[in-house]
Amino acid sequence: MSDGTFDDAFVDDLDRLFRWRRDVRRFSREPLESHLLPEILEAAELSPSVGNSQPWRWVEVQTKAAREAVRDSFVRCNAEALDGYTGERAQLYSSLKLAGLDDAPVHLAVFCEPDVDQGHGLGRHTVPETLEYSVVTAITTLWLAARARGVGIGWVSILEPNEVAAALAVPPTWKLVGYLCIGYPERENDVPELERVGWQSRTDSEKRHLIR
Ligand SMILES: Cc1cc2nc3c(=O)[nH]c(=O)nc-3n(C[C@H](O)[C@H](O)[C@H](O)COP(=O)(O)O)c2cc1C
């Protein structure tokens, strides 16, 4: 509603959005309708940030060379990660699909600008990490805004951040926070893929809620 209040139907829909947001690794190769990426980026720009610093920087990765460099980094890091597991876990790991890099039509590298003037340092003297936390809030908004429009996002962290930064020739101080594959999902699901394949289920939320 335009006055800033939200009715019960909206709240129910929002809860449904939270339940159906997924990390997507299996994408259709269909290009995104052109209005969608600008729209979801605009929504993400409304995210909270320490001191209102807005330290997120979005880099759309389009060139073949840059995408290949990112893919190479993923392949190498994924092989190294597999080496860290043994037995059944290793078998299960090697069966996981952990990135949609080959199919997702849009790749977005999200960086934190640590030397941002905006915000005048407010709030980050005590907890400097709040700048990076702010970028994560923006990614979360992006994720939900995308899902509400039928667009899937998959977060790829099995990458060497320095290799990604070099491939994209960003300023040396920028820190990679997330590499996102974006596109139409092959299918929707209300259960995380890692739960469906037996890697890790959601657990009892009460154990994570303490009262002191
Ligand atoms: C910071 C972060 C990094 C992640 N990195 C990866 C990744 O490298 N590969 C992957 O397949 N999923 C990655 N994910 C997605 C998680 O696996 C996923 O969020 C989790 O399994 C729960 O599933 P859901 O997002 O569908 O609820 C990442 C998620 C977050 C928040």
Side-chain angles (χ1 to χ4, degrees), residues 21-23 25 97-98 155-158 192 194 202:
R21 180 211 50 78
R22 284 282 68 77
D23 185 80
R25 304 164 185 91
K97 181 164 170 50
L98 293 172
W155 187 323
V156 186
S157 55
I158 305 167
L194 292 188
R202 290 198 179 280

Side-chain angles (χ1 to χ4, degrees), residues 18-19 21-25 74 97-99 136 143 154-159 177 189 191-195 200 202:
F18 295 146
R19 269 196 303 280
R21 180 211 50 78
R22 284 282 68 77
D23 185 80
V24 174
R25 304 164 185 91
F74 169 76
K97 181 164 170 50
L98 293 172
V136 177
W143 213 332
W155 187 323
V156 186
S157 55
I158 305 167
L159 294 168
V177 175
N189 212 297
V191 179
E193 183 165 335
L194 292 188
E195 177 158 346
Q200 175 64 61
R202 290 198 179 280

